[in-house]
Amino acid sequence: MVPASACGVRQARNRLARPVQTSMRERQVPRGDGRLSHDLDPQRPGPQDACGVFGVWAPGEEVANLTYFGLYALQHRGQEAAGIAVSDGSGVVVYKDLGLVAQVFDEPTLASLRGHVAIGHARYSTTGASTWENAQPTLRSTKAGTTIALAHNGNLVNTAELQRDVLERGIDSDGATNDTSLVTMLLAGRPDLSVEAAALEVLPQLRGAFSFVFMDESTLYAARDPHGVRPLVLGRLERGWVVASETAALDIVGASVVREVEPGELIAIDADGLRSARFAAPEPKGCLFEYVYIARPDAHIAGRNVHAARVQIGRQLAKEHPVEADLVIPVPESGTPAAIGYAEASGITYGAGLVKNPYVGRTFIQPSQTLRQLGIRLKLNPLRENVRGKRLVVVDDSIVRGNTQRAIVRMLREAGALEVHVRISSPPVSWPCFYGIDFATRAELLANGLDNDGIRRSIGADTLGYVSLPGLIAATEQPKTRLCRACFDGEYPIELPAGNQIGKHLLEGIGRRVATAPPDAPHHATEELVATPGGATVHRP
């Protein structure tokens, strides 16, 4: 175990792993990558979740265990890596690795992580590749002797600008290539300020979506961007406080919901209690896609239960796109609440028509091309007795490329369905997200360039209906002005950088430029990695 006075990172990687801070203990455990794919083909993923963050300040409690269970409740938000940072007041230790929460942590590991404050992270990468260096929480020591650990849900859009700030300050890189590491470096790069004061100076410089939990040796911090794009909630334990991406994570650790962390708010929790400060005026623009797909159905966002919202979306779908049919079936699990609402409003019987294999994607072995050709059968299989001879309404949450829906329609017809009517509980996804959801590029989005009938023909359905944007917004019970709808209408509430210098692997590109450019080369003479509005990257000399 790393001594309490040390600042260290422990991991399960290999003997070549290099220390990130002052000490490290290695453990040789063979592991798979543990990725939980949403699609059959890992090379062509659908919309991937935002990350999950969790933080707890609770003297006398087993904070590492609480964080583990909190991350377990947030596993749906990120499956590439998991990590926990913990402090007993004299030092901060981080344990992180690639894989699912239950693969990264075991009882002996958790038992060794002792302290009164902890933060945790379940990662899906939106900036930076899926590597161990980019796993979170990030960790950084200051010259003043303080240690900062930070976990991030969201995505910044001025990453290149922040990287230049880091370089100009002469801060040494830790090898990571994500926006979270940049923020940690900037916080730690102000040794003359307290962590709280440094945060109030750094946070206003950030543009994009961020819900942060971070900590030093004694204090838990939480901050949310001025638009509140990604959710972040505050909860109360009997002997402490909790912050988490979703209310479901509070429920699992027995915390009561206090309120949401406000957009533009910084919270600090220590032995003196909870205090709050504003670093920016709030301009709420919560992510609309959280209601459609990302959040757990038992979560609450802005006071609205997500399951109830999805059921209402289904009712609205039935109003907007009625059809004569015999059975309403969901694409499990994300289509289930909306299918319930559709059946309720239409009077058509609700039933099961597709059975989901709950373990697909949890394998360490990627399917071969031969197995991949089996298509959706790796993930779903029809209940032939239920669908044979029936006119079906099939309810799903979204269409991105259309591969999944195309395969489902074909499979149901092969199982004997007479008609297949597809209903989607979101409007067409026509624009990429730069705020924390890794959609396909715009060129790959099926709704970009095809009208409704073209999409219907592409997936092979008899009819196709999307819920309208006003109908979706109404189901959230939030005003349109308080929601980010960019993936549906292309109206980005946070200004994107000039030249669209943005993208998941932007910092890898910047790193190459810095490494290869001569010391006296002007900035414009180096290669510039630029992302187009559609999300594809191009190299510009």
Side-chain angles (χ1 to χ4, degrees):
M1 180 175 177
V2 176
S5 60
C7 159
V9 177
R10 287 176 291 154
Q11 46 79 46
R13 204 178 167 210
N14 55 49
R15 288 194 176 96
L16 299 177
R18 58 184 178 78
V20 175
Q21 294 292 326
T22 58
S23 63
M24 178 181 288
R25 174 185 168 192
E26 300 183 38
R27 186 179 79 173
Q28 287 232 240
V29 179
R31 294 181 185 271
D33 62 17
R35 296 180 191 172
L36 179 63
S37 66
H38 291 273
D39 291 82
L40 305 171
D41 187 347
Q43 304 305 315
R44 301 179 66 82
Q48 299 297 304
D49 304 347
C51 301
V53 298
F54 186 90
V56 55
W57 185 92
E61 299 285 355
E62 295 180 336
V63 293
N65 290 51
L66 291 174
T67 304
Y68 172 86
F69 288 118
L71 293 181
Y72 203 86
L74 298 171
Q75 185 73 89
H76 61 289
R77 299 185 71 89
Q79 300 92 29
E80 291 185 8
I84 293 175
V86 64
S87 172
D88 63 357
S90 59
V92 176
V93 173
V94 168
Y95 190 98
K96 64 181 182 178
D97 202 357
L98 300 180
L100 302 175
V101 175
Q103 294 168 336
V104 172
F105 297 99
D106 54 24
E107 281 195 50
T109 301
L110 292 171
S112 72
L113 298 173
R114 313 297 296 182
H116 70 282
V117 58
I119 63 171
H121 189 264
R123 184 174 194 247
Y124 176 77
S125 56
T126 53
T127 295
S130 181
T131 63
W132 182 86
E133 288 82 1
N134 284 331
Q136 298 180 34
T138 55
L139 191 69
R140 196 79 179 183
S141 294
T142 72
K143 291 181 181 178
T146 302
T147 307
I148 300 171
L150 186 146
H152 176 200
N153 171 209
N155 195 52
L156 302 181
V157 299
N158 64 331
T159 304
E161 175 186 315
L162 298 175
Q163 174 74 344
R164 284 191 288 272
D165 189 10
V166 165
L167 294 173
E168 288 169 2
R169 289 176 177 272
I171 301 173
D172 294 331
S173 172
D174 58 5
T177 54
N178 59 56
D179 48 359
T180 311
S181 290
L182 292 179
V183 176
T184 313
M185 292 179 202
L186 291 171
L187 288 172
R190 290 162 167 78
D192 52 325
L193 299 177
S194 68
V195 174
E196 195 168 341
L200 290 172
E201 190 173 287
V202 170
L203 293 173
Q205 300 175 19
L206 309 181
R207 294 203 313 276
F210 59 86
S211 285
F212 291 142
V213 293
F214 55 109
M215 60 182 281
D216 56 23
E217 282 78 0
S218 60
T219 308
L220 173 67
Y221 304 91
R224 197 173 176 202
D225 70 82
H227 298 277
V229 177
R230 299 280 149 233
L232 193 63
V233 292
L234 173 68
R236 192 75 165 97
L237 292 167
E238 185 177 346
R239 294 190 292 178
W241 297 86
V242 177
V243 287
S245 292
E246 296 184 23
T247 57
L250 303 186
D251 296 338
I252 201 171
V253 300
S256 58
V257 178
V258 176
R259 62 177 176 85
E260 292 193 354
V261 176
E262 293 295 322
E265 181 183 22
L266 170 67
I267 285 175
I269 301 168
D270 58 18
D272 294 327
L274 182 147
R275 56 191 176 275
S276 170
R278 287 279 182 189
F279 63 87
E283 302 177 54
K285 292 287 182 182
C287 174
L288 184 53
F289 206 71
E290 291 273 355
Y291 292 93
V292 173
Y293 174 77
I294 296 176
R296 282 175 48 146
D298 53 343
H300 288 74
I301 302 176
R304 176 65 159 155
N305 174 254
V306 172
H307 176 83
R310 290 174 183 168
V311 171
Q312 181 56 36
I313 294 168
R315 296 190 190 107
Q316 185 66 26
L317 258 176
K319 283 184 187 178
E320 295 179 358
H321 300 285
V323 67
E324 290 188 9
D326 305 306
L327 188 68
V328 176
I329 67 170
V331 175
E333 304 292 334
S334 56
T336 300
I340 292 170
Y342 192 101
E344 177 187 301
S346 66
I348 302 170
T349 301
Y350 171 88
L354 295 163
V355 175
K356 182 179 180 181
N357 177 355
Y359 297 102
V360 69
R362 289 171 171 84
T363 177
F364 298 146
I365 303 172
Q366 296 293 356
S368 67
Q369 183 59 33
T370 302
L371 287 175
R372 201 174 293 136
Q373 289 173 352
L374 294 175
I376 201 68
R377 295 180 192 278
L378 291 172
K379 185 176 182 181
L380 297 169
N381 203 39
L383 282 168
R384 296 177 183 275
E385 292 74 12
N386 282 19
V387 304
R388 185 181 295 119
K390 301 284 180 60
R391 298 169 298 171
L392 303 177
V393 177
V394 182
V395 182
D396 203 355
D397 61 273
S398 60
I399 296 178
V400 180
R401 294 184 181 89
N403 296 336
T404 299
Q405 288 77 15
R406 193 175 297 116
I408 288 173
V409 171
R410 181 172 61 248
M411 183 171 56
L412 290 172
R413 292 197 191 281
E414 290 172 356
L418 295 180
E419 298 174 5
V420 181
H421 304 276
V422 174
R423 297 294 180 266
I424 304 298
S425 60
S426 65
V429 176
S430 303
W431 301 84
C433 175
F434 298 109
Y435 307 139
I437 305 174
D438 193 15
F439 281 123
T441 64
R442 192 173 185 215
E444 296 174 290
L445 295 172
L446 192 61
N448 177 38
L450 285 180
D451 61 13
N452 191 81
D453 195 53
I455 298 171
R456 179 196 64 77
R457 290 196 304 271
S458 175
I459 66 174
D462 290 283
T463 65
L464 170 65
Y466 292 88
V467 73
S468 66
L469 184 55
L472 172 59
I473 291 170
T476 70
E477 297 185 348
Q478 292 294 301
K480 177 181 178 180
T481 55
R482 295 178 66 92
L483 293 167
C484 175
R485 317 167 306 275
C487 59
F488 302 125
D489 63 10
E491 294 183 15
Y492 292 94
I494 304 170
E495 183 180 359
L496 301 180
N500 293 306
Q501 193 171 1
I502 194 169
K504 180 172 179 176
H505 299 288
L506 176 66
L507 292 182
E508 281 95 334
I510 288 179
R512 287 193 296 271
R513 295 203 306 274
V514 171
T516 58
D520 57 348
H523 177 68
H524 61 78
T526 62
E527 182 183 63
E528 182 180 357
L529 184 66
V530 178
T532 67
T537 57
V538 297
H539 293 278
R540 184 174 296 165

